[in-house]
Amino acid sequence: MLECILLSDPDTEKSAVAMDVGVGAALDPKDTPGLAHFLEHMLFMGTEKYPRVNEYAEFVVNHGGYCNAFTFYTNTNYHFNIANESFTEGLDIFSQFFISPLIDKS
């Protein structure tokens, strides 16, 4: 299950997004503890459309925003806020995590 909340208000200085994925540490395989948290970090390693490592975080910070993620027992949450004028491009970069992530086997 995926839940997505989008906030955008032209009367505010920033827009924000949170994506909550219904998979967390409780679903880690017994022989691979920490897998959900590891995959949380792997999504920040680039996508087919935006392959440069940290491109997302750099874009968000360079446009007045903040980004982070956390893995909980039953879910993993990804979120960011950004200046309104950069929201559309930031959302495109963010959404690519869930469309075409690059998971490098090395």
Side-chain angles (χ1 to χ4, degrees), residues 7-10 12-17 59-66 80-91:
L7 304 172
S8 181
D9 182 344
T12 64
E13 294 179 8
K14 293 189 179 183
S15 298
V17 173
F59 181 85
V60 170
V61 169
N62 289 336
H63 292 88
Y66 167 81
F80 76 97
N81 66 46
I82 196 164
N84 283 340
E85 59 272 6
S86 302
F87 177 70
T88 301
E89 188 173 357
L91 183 60

Side-chain angles (χ1 to χ4, degrees), residues 10 13 19 22 26 30 35 41 45-46 57-58 60 63 67 71-72 75 97:
E13 294 179 8
M19 172 71 95
K30 290 187 190 288
L35 183 61
H41 287 271
M45 301 304 286
E58 289 172 9
V60 170
H63 292 88
C67 60
T71 301
F72 197 62
N75 63 300
F97 291 163

Side-chain angles (χ1 to χ4, degrees), residues 29-101:
K30 290 187 190 288
D31 63 341
T32 318
L35 183 61
H37 187 228
F38 177 73
L39 289 174
E40 169 202 318
H41 287 271
M42 289 300 295
L43 289 188
F44 288 92
M45 301 304 286
T47 65
E48 287 182 21
K49 187 172 180 181
Y50 301 98
R52 195 168 49 80
V53 173
N54 292 325
E55 185 165 1
Y56 160 71
E58 289 172 9
F59 181 85
V60 170
V61 169
N62 289 336
H63 292 88
Y66 167 81
C67 60
N68 209 343
F70 63 85
T71 301
F72 197 62
Y73 192 66
T74 58
N75 63 300
T76 303
N77 183 279
Y78 303 84
H79 52 276
F80 76 97
N81 66 46
I82 196 164
N84 283 340
E85 59 272 6
S86 302
F87 177 70
T88 301
E89 188 173 357
L91 183 60
D92 184 52
I93 297 169
F94 177 81
S95 68
Q96 295 301 312
F97 291 163
F98 309 99
I99 296 168
S100 59

